[in-house]
């Protein structure tokens, strides 16, 4: 029995037990060594480096480097799978290592925009194929046989005539001395052995056993810790600081005020957090101080303003609406949302005279390096960035504010320091999904055809809150899409599937309204629009019509659309990050309340690399989209968020997650995005199903504040 159990030990025991009563059996060591993350990978002696992504040691250990930050999107497994596939390696001999930032060896070391695999697909394939060609050539030369008689398979080069074979480790040194071929032949996809299969995440064991690998685990000898008190509300600044009581508390080394922030530096997070509460800080107004009630008025003004920027216009919109047999008009609104990654913001920095060492969880390591170099007025080559695993990001770690804080504080206190945010810091001082309100209008002719379409997007720090070239653009002869923005002191940033995370729901819910007014089946209505875009497009069509039709028909087939009794079904389809996802939600009514029973997803993301990881990406996107559509809500009073921890901010619960079935289109095209495209259609499919079940249109998120949920006794 463990005498003392840390929170991480408890989580490990609970995960291993798999539920039920968790007794204090210490199946893992409760006393771990001080966690550390080595900055340089130590490889076996006699390694041969074939390219940036790959080394092979003489003892046949194949090390594949994964350059992009890993935040749960499975990139650390998928990237090496592509290399190993073309290398024709035995996966059991492959070791995967997170590469540090190196812009000379790697391109686009970024996790964001669902673009990592699409960008690197051919680069990774060529890296593996090049090494394979060199190994085969080395064997041919050693055996003094024609190159055509040698081939690679499962980590060996084989001579077809004699049956001789050598493993890659035996050939690595010789192969590394050969000239790198300028052109190599890639595998035919029918010969793939790894790509398209379901492989375990290479870090499963490390995650389950709690091996230090996240930013919060990072440690350097002599490192100090710090927490920073920021202004309590947006539009405020620090006026005065009395830190005497905090400085006198145990474990506190210093209290530093810089750039509208007060940093408490010490030896343990517990001591620092206690001392931070002892600070006496007076704030004063710096700019606008806004409340959620103000935003309601702002949206009303924006939607009626004559200053909107036209994003796309086709045909004669005014005449189409003037002569319409029927006009449908609706507004949809979404709130601000925090990113809420499980691991709060943190970063390590050591600013020395000869350079700067940075380490921690970042989606954009190169931007972090550039930002620190500018901040300290030094050259970028003096800044190194080590990438730890990210405990979630969802766009928050595209920002570098928390990295710059650590670097600036280290430069002030002349010591290595790790800055750690609390959950309250993360939610109250983060960058949020913008709040947006949309106004849609559709014009129908006497036959129920949509001949006119208008969309205005009004956003608070949202930039352009529309995607003017997405469906149904190109399918409507008379179309106007414009946008208008309000600048606010509330900071915003990309949030998983930026803009489309809400726009996808709003557009698809509105199209169902239009289909109902046209007395048409929702799926047939959309297919009719796509056929119109295909045969007589209205302006440029910037989405693949056939791919969209493909997922629509697949989702309808797999869900049994229109064939089920006592089940209300809702449909949605969306194109984002170059991928296409259609969803059908099944809803039952239990005790007078709609209950989401199942969601079907048809996905066209091109070549699926890791089937297991791909399914998890889609399912995770659906759960994320459903949870935030149903429950997520961040409001403000006088610039201060009303919700600053999970006791006030509602997340989806495990019992509320429906069954999810995922189906992939096997078209063999190069991979397109997958980390985000499954999220945007979810809210629309669910809202449309709830309408079928209850007769109530959900036009605002979160859904629990709307009928039929608002009057329910429990949600």
């Amino acid at each position: 029995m463990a005498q003392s159990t840390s929170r991480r030990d408890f989580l490990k025991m609970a995960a291993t037990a798999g539920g039920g009563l968790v007794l204090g059996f210490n199946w893992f060591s409760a006393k771990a060594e001080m966690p550390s993350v080595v900055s340089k990978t130590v490889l076996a002696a006699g390694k041969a480096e074939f390219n940036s992504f790959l080394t092979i040691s003489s003892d046949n250990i194949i090390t594949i480097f994964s350059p992009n930050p890993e935040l749960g999107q499975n990139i650390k497994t998928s990237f090496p799978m592509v290399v190993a596939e073309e290398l024709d390696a035995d996966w059991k001999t492959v070791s995967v290592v997170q590469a540090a930032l190196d812009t000379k060896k790697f391109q686009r070391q970024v996790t964001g925009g669902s673009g990592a695999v699409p960008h690197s697909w051919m680069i990774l394939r060529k890296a593996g194929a090049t090494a394979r060609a060199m190994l085969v050539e080395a064997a041919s030369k050693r055996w003094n046989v024609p190159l055509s008689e040698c081939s690679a398979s499962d980590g060996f080069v084989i001579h077809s005539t004699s049956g001789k074979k050598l493993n890659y480790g035996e050939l690595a040194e010789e192969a590394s001395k050969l000239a790198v071929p300028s052109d190599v032949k890639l595998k035919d996809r029918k010969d793939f052995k790894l790509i398209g299969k379901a492989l375990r995440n290479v870090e499963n064991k490390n995650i389950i056993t709690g091996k230090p690998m996240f930013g919060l685990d990072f440690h350097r000898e002599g490192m100090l810790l710090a927490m920073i008190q920021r202004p309590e509300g947006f539009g405020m600044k620090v006026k005065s600081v009395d830190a005497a009581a905090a400085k006198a508390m145990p474990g506190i080394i210093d209290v530093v005020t810089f750039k509208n922030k007060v940093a408490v530096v010490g030896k343990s997070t517990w001591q620092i957090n206690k001392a931070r509460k002892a600070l006496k800080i007076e704030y004063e107004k710096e700019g606008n101080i806004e409340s959620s009630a103000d935003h309601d008025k702002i949206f009303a003004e924006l939607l009626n303003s004559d200053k909107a920027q036209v994003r796309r216009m086709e045909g004669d919109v005014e005449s189409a609406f003037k002569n319409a047999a029927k006009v449908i008009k609706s507004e949809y609104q979404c709130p601000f949302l925090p990113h809420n990654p499980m691991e709060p913001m943190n970063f390590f920095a050591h600013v020395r005279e000869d350079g700067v060492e940075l380490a921690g969880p970042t989606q954009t390591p190169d931007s972090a390096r550039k930002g620190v170099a500018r901040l300290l007025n030094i050259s970028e080559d003096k800044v190194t960035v080590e990438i730890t695993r990210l405990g979630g990001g969802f766009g928050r770690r595209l920002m570098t504010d928390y990295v710059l804080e650590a670097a600036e504080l280290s430069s002030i206190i002349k010591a290595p320091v790790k800055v750690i945010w609390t959950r309250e810091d993360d939610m109250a001082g983060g960058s949020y999904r913008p709040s947006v309100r949309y106004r849609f209008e559709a014009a129908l002719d006497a036959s129920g055809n949509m001949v006119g379409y208008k969309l205005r997007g009004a956003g608070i720090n949202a930039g352009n809150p529309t995607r003017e070239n997405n469906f149904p653009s190109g399918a409507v002869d008379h179309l106007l899409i414009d946008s208008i923005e309000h600048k606010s002191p509330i900071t915003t940033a990309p949030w998983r599937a930026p803009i489309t995370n809400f726009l996808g729901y709003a557009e698809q819910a509105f199209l169902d309204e239009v289909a109902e007014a046209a007395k048409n089946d929702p799926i047939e209505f959309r297919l009719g629009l796509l056929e119109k875009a295909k045969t007589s497009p209205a302006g440029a069509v910037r989405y693949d019509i056939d791919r969209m039709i493909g997922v629509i028909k697949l989702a309808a087939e797999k869900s049994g659309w229109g064939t089920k009794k006592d089940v209300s079904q809702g449909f949605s389809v969306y194109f984002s990050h170059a991928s296409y996802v259609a969803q059908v939600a099944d809803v039952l009514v239990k005790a007078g309340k709609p209950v989401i029973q199942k969601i079907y997803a048809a996905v066209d993301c091109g070549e699926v690399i890791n089937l297991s990881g791909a399914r998890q990406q889609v399912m995770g996107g659906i759960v994320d989209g459903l949870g935030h559509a149903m429950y997520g809500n961040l409001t403000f009073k006088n610039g201060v968020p009303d919700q600053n921890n999970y006791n006030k901010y509602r997340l989806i619960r495990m019992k509320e997650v429906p069954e999810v079935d995922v189906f992939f289109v096997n078209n063999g095209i190069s991979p397109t995005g997958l980390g985000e495209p499954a999220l945007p259609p979810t809210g629309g499919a669910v809202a449309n199903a709830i309408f079928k079940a209850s007769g109530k249109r959900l036009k605002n998120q979160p859904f629990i504040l709307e009928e039929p949920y608002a009057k329910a006794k429990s949600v």
Side-chain angles (χ1 to χ4, degrees):
M1 298 289 290
Q3 296 300 312
S4 62
T5 304
S6 70
R7 179 173 177 272
R8 175 166 286 195
D9 285 328
F10 174 79
L11 291 172
K12 288 186 287 184
M13 289 187 289
T16 308
L21 178 64
V22 179
L23 301 176
F25 294 114
N26 191 357
W27 293 352
F28 302 89
S29 171
K31 294 182 179 179
E33 295 179 357
M34 179 62 74
S36 63
V37 180
V38 294
S39 60
K40 299 294 182 183
T41 303
V42 181
L43 300 174
K47 69 176 182 179
E49 185 172 336
F50 287 90
N51 50 55
S52 302
F53 298 94
L54 174 66
T55 64
I56 302 174
S57 66
S58 57
D59 57 0
N60 203 33
I61 297 298
I62 300 171
T63 302
I64 299 179
F65 294 92
S66 184
N68 286 47
E70 172 62 74
L71 52 72
Q73 82 280 37
N74 208 41
I75 202 74
K76 197 172 178 180
T77 303
S78 298
F79 264 28
M81 280 179 66
V82 180
V83 178
E85 179 67 78
E86 289 292 350
L87 180 62
D88 222 321
D90 179 354
W91 186 249
K92 294 189 295 294
T93 68
V94 171
S95 172
V96 179
V97 172
Q98 176 69 60
L101 175 66
D102 190 333
T103 53
K104 294 180 180 178
K105 288 185 175 181
F106 305 111
Q107 299 177 11
R108 198 188 182 277
Q109 280 187 274
V110 173
T111 292
S114 296
V117 170
H119 172 269
S120 299
W121 167 246
M122 291 305 296
I123 297 171
L124 295 167
R125 293 187 70 185
K126 288 179 180 178
T130 299
R132 169 168 47 86
M134 295 168 73
L135 290 161
V136 171
E137 184 181 353
S140 168
K141 291 182 181 298
R142 181 187 288 195
W143 291 327
N144 194 26
V145 297
L147 188 63
S148 60
E149 295 180 3
C150 300
S151 62
S153 179
D154 296 327
F156 288 89
V157 177
I158 303 164
H159 182 221
S160 59
T161 304
S162 66
K164 290 191 238 181
K165 67 178 184 178
L166 293 168
N167 67 42
Y168 288 172
E170 295 173 287
L171 294 164
E173 186 176 352
E174 295 167 65
S176 67
K177 297 175 182 177
L178 298 174
V180 177
S182 58
D183 188 28
V184 291
K185 184 179 180 181
L186 302 179
K187 277 187 175 182
D188 190 301
R189 68 187 300 260
K190 67 179 175 57
D191 297 321
F192 286 166
K193 300 174 182 177
L194 296 175
I195 292 175
K197 303 297 188 297
L199 269 63
R200 297 175 183 171
N201 187 309
V202 296
E203 290 195 319
N204 276 355
K205 183 178 179 181
N206 292 339
I207 293 170
I208 291 170
T209 57
K211 183 177 179 180
M213 61 177 125
F214 295 92
L216 285 175
D217 298 318
F218 187 91
H219 178 78
R220 277 282 184 270
E221 193 65 35
M223 177 184 83
L224 300 176
L225 300 174
M227 290 184 177
I228 296 177
Q229 182 63 45
R230 302 165 188 85
E232 60 184 8
F234 294 94
M236 301 180 187
K237 66 178 180 178
V238 174
K239 181 179 180 181
S240 64
V241 180
D242 181 353
K247 287 183 177 181
M249 295 178 72
I252 302 306
I253 294 172
D254 202 357
V255 176
V256 178
T257 300
F258 67 105
K259 287 186 179 175
N260 210 25
K261 303 167 186 176
V262 184
V264 181
V265 183
K267 298 178 180 179
S268 79
T269 53
W270 176 256
Q271 292 171 320
I272 293 169
N273 207 21
K274 285 182 67 177
R276 188 168 66 153
K277 293 175 182 177
L279 292 171
K280 296 178 182 178
I281 303 177
E282 186 180 356
Y283 300 99
E284 62 183 352
K285 183 178 178 180
E286 184 179 36
N288 291 334
I289 297 178
E290 299 175 354
S291 299
S292 293
D294 300 321
H295 296 154
D296 290 335
K297 298 175 184 177
I298 289 168
F299 278 133
E301 293 172 359
L302 293 177
L303 288 176
N304 294 308
S305 172
D306 59 359
K307 297 180 180 179
Q309 180 179 353
V310 174
R311 300 292 179 175
R312 178 164 174 163
M313 181 182 287
E314 304 289 349
D316 186 345
V317 178
E318 184 176 344
S319 295
F321 277 84
K322 181 179 179 181
N323 299 320
K326 185 181 291 186
V327 172
I328 303 93
K329 184 175 180 179
S330 277
E331 292 184 9
Y332 289 78
Q333 183 169 328
C334 70
F336 290 97
L337 290 180
H339 293 81
N340 272 349
M342 185 61 70
E343 177 191 25
M345 299 300 104
N346 66 89
F347 224 79
F348 167 84
H350 188 188
V351 178
R352 310 179 308 269
E353 288 188 6
D354 60 339
V356 178
E357 179 189 8
L358 302 174
T362 171
Q363 293 178 240
T364 53
D366 191 36
S367 294
R369 179 172 66 178
K370 285 181 167 65
V372 169
R374 285 194 299 270
L375 173 72
L376 302 177
N377 195 27
I378 60 176
S379 63
E380 291 179 26
D381 59 8
K382 289 188 175 182
V383 183
T384 64
V385 182
E386 185 173 335
I387 308 166
T388 64
R389 188 179 176 94
L390 288 65
F394 315 112
R396 176 63 182 93
R397 288 185 162 102
L398 292 170
M399 307 296 102
T400 61
D401 53 309
Y402 60 103
V403 182
L404 298 179
E405 281 183 344
E408 186 163 12
L409 181 58
S410 176
S411 71
I412 294 170
I413 65 176
K414 309 298 182 185
V417 64
K418 181 162 69 173
V419 173
I420 298 174
W421 294 42
T422 64
R423 175 61 56 200
E424 288 83 1
D425 292 336
D426 221 25
M427 288 186 67
S431 296
Y432 309 111
R433 179 185 81 170
S435 182
V436 177
R437 184 181 290 177
Y438 294 108
R439 176 181 289 168
F440 294 92
E441 297 178 67
L444 297 179
D445 64 16
S447 300
N449 300 306
M450 186 164 69
V451 294
Y453 180 85
K454 290 196 286 188
L455 165 62
R456 170 165 291 186
I460 298 176
N461 285 355
N464 174 16
T466 75
R467 291 294 181 265
E468 62 271 12
N469 293 317
N470 279 9
F471 178 77
S473 291
V476 186
D477 287 331
H478 309 287
L479 174 144
L480 172 63
I481 297 176
D482 59 22
S483 68
I484 188 166
E485 182 183 30
H486 167 72
K487 295 292 186 181
S488 169
I490 299 172
T491 53
T492 61
W495 191 97
R496 190 176 188 180
I499 301 301
T500 60
N501 56 61
F502 180 76
L503 177 59
Y505 146 70
E507 284 181 342
Q508 291 296 305
F510 178 67
L511 285 178
D512 257 39
E513 285 193 70
V514 181
E516 183 193 21
K519 296 180 171 55
N520 200 347
D521 174 82
I523 288 182
E524 292 302 321
F525 180 73
R526 290 168 174 81
L527 289 174
L529 287 171
L530 288 167
E531 185 62 29
K532 164 72 170 61
K534 193 171 185 177
T535 56
S536 58
V541 176
R542 303 194 184 279
Y543 47 90
D544 190 310
I545 296 171
D546 290 331
R547 290 179 72 189
M548 185 171 278
I549 290 174
V551 293
I552 290 174
K553 291 184 175 180
L554 182 60
E557 173 198 341
K558 296 299 184 181
S559 66
W561 176 261
T563 64
K564 296 179 178 179
K565 295 181 180 179
D566 303 320
V567 175
S568 298
Q569 292 187 308
F571 176 80
S572 179
V573 62
Y574 212 73
F575 155 67
S576 66
H577 303 280
S579 289
Y580 299 78
V581 181
Q583 294 179 20
V584 174
D586 284 359
V587 167
L588 299 176
V589 177
K590 296 182 180 180
K593 185 177 71 173
V595 177
I596 304 153
Q597 182 185 44
K598 189 169 184 176
I599 295 177
Y600 301 84
V603 182
D604 182 350
C605 60
E607 191 79 66
V608 173
I609 294 174
N610 185 349
L611 186 58
S612 172
R615 283 197 186 112
Q616 292 166 27
Q617 285 280 68
V618 175
M619 293 171 73
I622 288 172
V623 172
D624 203 5
L626 171 62
H628 284 92
M630 287 292 299
Y631 309 112
N633 192 30
L634 187 72
T635 58
F636 294 84
K637 185 174 182 180
N638 297 325
V640 180
D642 294 315
Q643 301 81 16
N644 65 358
N645 209 322
Y646 294 135
N647 62 327
K648 298 178 181 178
Y649 184 82
R650 178 77 153 84
L651 292 170
I652 192 170
R653 295 162 183 160
M654 290 185 70
K655 66 179 181 180
E656 295 162 339
V657 176
E659 182 181 353
V660 177
D661 276 358
V662 181
F663 305 91
F664 291 100
V665 175
N666 184 18
N667 55 19
I669 67 174
S670 293
T672 50
L674 190 56
E676 293 160 286
L679 191 153
T682 304
V686 169
N688 291 335
I690 291 171
F691 170 75
K692 292 275 188 70
S694 67
K696 300 291 184 180
R697 289 278 181 200
L698 296 168
K699 298 188 178 183
N700 299 284
Q701 291 183 3
F703 295 163
I704 56 167
L705 299 182
E706 300 285 295
E707 290 189 45
Y709 292 102
K711 294 183 179 180
K713 292 183 179 180
S714 63
V715 291

